[in-house]
Structure formats: structure tokens, C-alpha cells
Amino acid sequence: METFFKVKTPQEVFAIIDGFLPVGKEMIPLEEALGRTLNRDLAAPEDLPHFSRSSMDGYAVRAQDTFGASESLPALLEVCTEVNTGRPPETDIRPGQAAKISTGGMLPEGADGVVMVEYCRPLDGRALEVSRSISPLENVILPGDDFKKGSIFLHKGTCLRPQELGVLAGLGLSEVPVFRRPRVAFISTGDEVVPAREMPLPGQVRDVNRYTLSGFCTELQSEPLYLGLCPDEPAALETLVLKGVRQADTVWVSGGSSVGTRDLTLQIFKTLPDFELLVHGISISPGKPTIIGRSGTKPVVGLPGHVASALIVAEVFLSRLVLRLSGRAEEPSF
């Protein structure tokens, strides 16, 4: 009976998994980029924002015209215009003047601050009392305050969340360079395993791993490809594994990885082109009889058939593998 090739520690297995490379690159529309991973650093094509704008509702003023203003001794200014959001100001601000402005409005020339509306009291159509002094640039966002043109604003390996999509949209990037989603082919094996829709006979079990592994892959932004339920027949398993290597970026076989006369996974893996065995046994429980190898550059994995064992190995080790194939920069959370 064959024994384990060499049981490895989890740290050794992590190091092996980290040696796999991302599966490829593509450009996709911004609308489809949620959860995808950048394949290169991105530099801002322009300043964001590209004009000086108000961060508050209030009045654009020259800050020095408010110095010393208080509730008991307010500054008196002339309202000369109103800035409409989405349009440039129609006039400049001169000493002693103010312009009504909304959040996001473009700061008029001559103004260098915004007094919040709470500290302003219109007296009539043009006169305005300001009861609080402000500093230059108070309540103002300057060009490039968020991102300056040419600066790196997102790094390679970043997983795109809603906030990153907002930044990309704000900078006018409607297409995004990302790593391709890895395609994961998986096969359930065992004479005792039957489809979930069937009533198992005594000694039989339903194929649970098909659904747990498919959901696991989907959660990690990879594409699951179920190749079918395979009996303990070398020829049938070899056909499905070869199909997986041709059609997917990695192949996972659940069942048949233990040491025993009917455990075929390693036997079949050894027939693959340019195969290298990397792991045959991990010092964890459950999940010890796990196989990891490569056929060329593609990882092939033999998982325990037991549902809990297979999912534990997937969570601890294969999540890391999928992230590496996806080009993700951060470490998995375990």
C-alpha cells in the first residue's frame, strides 16, 4: 500500500500555493467590475476634482472679509450672484461681496472660502450678515485634493469594491484592466455517490460536494465548471480530468485522494502532461489526504470526499489558491 509522499505543514502548503500565477488579463466595462482584481497600477488621468468647489451650502466669500465677525458684531456683505451647480459662476467676487453657493458648486474667482449657511442671515435681496469668521480655503475642495493627475490612485491586485468603482467613474474610466476570473473544473468521484435528486440506496450518499464547491468558487469570484459524477473507474476519471485541464485553469477532484486500493486521483494525475506532485498529505485534521500538483502551469487538486473535510480544505487552502489565480494582492483572512 502506498503511503503519503510527504506530509507538509500548512505553512509549507501556503508557500507552494503562492507560487502559482494569475490566469490572464482582460479589459471589462466598469459596470461589470465589482469584485474583480486590477491587473496593473492605475494613474489618475486628470485632477479630481478638476475645479475648486464648495463642500457646504452657504456663501462664497473672501475669507479676510469675515475676519472678526461674531454674533454680536457680524460682517456685512453684498450678495452679488448665485452659483448654480453644474455651471461656472457668472461673476467674480470682489472685496465686500458674497455669492450664494450650494454643495459642489464651483468657487467664483476672487473667493477663497465658504461660510456655512447656518452662520449667514440675509437682510434683504442683497445684504448679508455673516456671524462667524472663516479661514482661507475653509469648506473648499481644491483641484486635485482627492487625486492629482498622474498619481497612482489604485494599485495592482486591488479587489474592486463599490467605493473603488466610484473613484473610477469620477475619473472617467469606463473600462477597467483586470485579471481574468479563474475557471475551476471539479469532479465528484465514488461508486457510492449519486446525484442529489436521487434517493440513495443503503450504502450510497448524495453528491453534496458539487454544490458546496460550486458555491465556494462563486463566492470567490471564480467560475465553477462541474464536469460530472465519476465512478471509481480509471478510464472515466482520466477522461474527465483531461477535459478539465483543457477547459479550465485548475481542476479539483473530490474523493479518491486517500491511501487505498480504490483511490485513483493521484494515479490519474500522474498521467497528465508535464505533471509535478507538490503535496500529498497536509498535517491538518480533517483534510490530511489532500493532493496538490501541477500539470504545466495549472494546479490540480485532490480533495477528500468527505463533505466537511473537502470544505475545510477549500476554505483554508483553496481560497488562497483562487485568490492567487485571480491576481489578488491581499492575504486571505485565516
Side-chain angles (χ1 to χ4, degrees):
M1 180 184 295
E2 181 181 1
T3 59
F4 289 106
F5 178 75
K6 183 180 178 182
V7 175
K8 296 187 181 297
T9 67
Q11 290 70 29
E12 290 175 315
V13 177
F14 293 152
I16 289 169
I17 288 172
D18 289 348
F20 288 103
L21 299 176
V23 296
K25 301 177 180 180
E26 61 183 347
M27 291 288 291
I28 61 171
L30 180 59
E31 294 84 354
E32 301 173 9
L34 182 65
R36 301 299 294 274
T37 305
L38 287 180
N39 67 39
R40 59 180 172 86
D41 291 346
L42 293 183
E46 60 189 41
D47 285 338
L48 184 68
H50 59 276
F51 60 89
S52 296
R53 59 192 301 186
S54 173
S55 63
M56 296 287 177
D57 292 339
Y59 290 84
V61 300
R62 298 191 332 148
Q64 67 187 62
D65 288 341
T66 70
F67 291 171
S70 65
E71 289 282 354
S72 59
L73 189 62
L76 187 63
L77 302 178
E78 176 193 5
V79 180
C80 63
T81 187
E82 180 174 350
V83 179
N84 294 311
T85 304
R87 297 182 181 178
E90 296 179 354
T91 61
D92 297 346
I93 297 299
R94 300 189 177 189
Q97 291 183 330
K100 189 174 183 180
I101 193 168
S102 299
T103 301
M106 184 175 180
L107 207 68
E109 285 290 331
D112 62 358
V114 174
V115 183
M116 293 172 61
V117 68
E118 292 89 337
Y119 303 109
C120 299
R121 185 165 72 93
L123 297 180
D124 53 38
R126 298 182 67 86
L128 177 73
E129 280 188 353
V130 176
S131 61
R132 180 183 181 275
S133 63
I134 64 168
S135 304
L137 304 183
E138 188 168 337
N139 301 321
V140 172
I141 303 173
L142 295 176
D145 266 1
D146 291 330
F147 300 102
K148 292 191 178 298
K149 181 178 180 179
S151 65
I152 301 299
F153 69 97
L154 288 176
H155 291 277
K156 175 181 177 180
T158 298
C159 179
L160 298 174
R161 303 167 298 172
Q163 49 267 51
E164 280 85 22
L165 299 189
V167 172
L168 290 162
L171 286 166
L173 299 175
S174 59
E175 289 192 319
V176 189
V178 297
F179 287 107
R180 186 169 56 80
R181 295 185 188 201
R183 199 173 196 195
V184 181
F186 54 98
I187 305 161
S188 299
T189 69
D191 292 334
E192 76 282 10
V193 183
V194 298
R197 64 180 177 275
E198 294 187 12
M199 177 63 70
L201 298 173
Q204 293 182 330
V205 295
R206 291 188 175 98
D207 182 9
V208 174
N209 288 339
R210 167 183 181 177
Y211 301 96
T212 57
L213 294 177
S214 176
F216 172 82
C217 291
T218 301
E219 280 191 337
L220 288 176
Q221 295 286 326
S222 60
E223 298 179 7
L225 173 64
Y226 180 64
L227 297 183
L229 181 56
C230 184
D232 291 320
E233 297 176 4
L237 183 57
E238 182 177 2
T239 297
L240 288 179
V241 170
L242 283 170
K243 180 180 179 181
V245 170
R246 288 194 300 267
Q247 295 186 359
D249 301 298
T250 179
V251 181
W252 302 352
V253 179
S254 67
S257 63
S258 300
V259 177
T261 57
R262 296 198 314 142
D263 297 323
L264 305 174
T265 302
L266 182 56
Q267 175 186 332
I268 299 304
F269 282 176
K270 287 179 177 178
T271 68
L272 294 173
D274 195 21
F275 175 74
E276 179 186 1
L277 178 63
L278 303 174
V279 177
H280 190 196
I282 306 175
S283 58
I284 62 169
S285 180
K288 181 178 180 181
T290 297
I291 298 167
I292 301 176
R294 70 167 80 233
S295 176
T297 60
K298 295 183 178 182
V300 292
V301 180
L303 291 167
H306 188 275
V307 175
S309 298
L311 197 54
I312 286 172
V313 172
E315 290 284 354
V316 175
F317 299 102
L318 300 190
S319 58
R320 193 182 193 101
L321 175 62
V322 171
L323 293 182
R324 290 295 174 266
L325 298 180
S326 303
R328 195 77 60 84
E330 68 266 23
E331 295 292 326
S333 56
F334 46 75

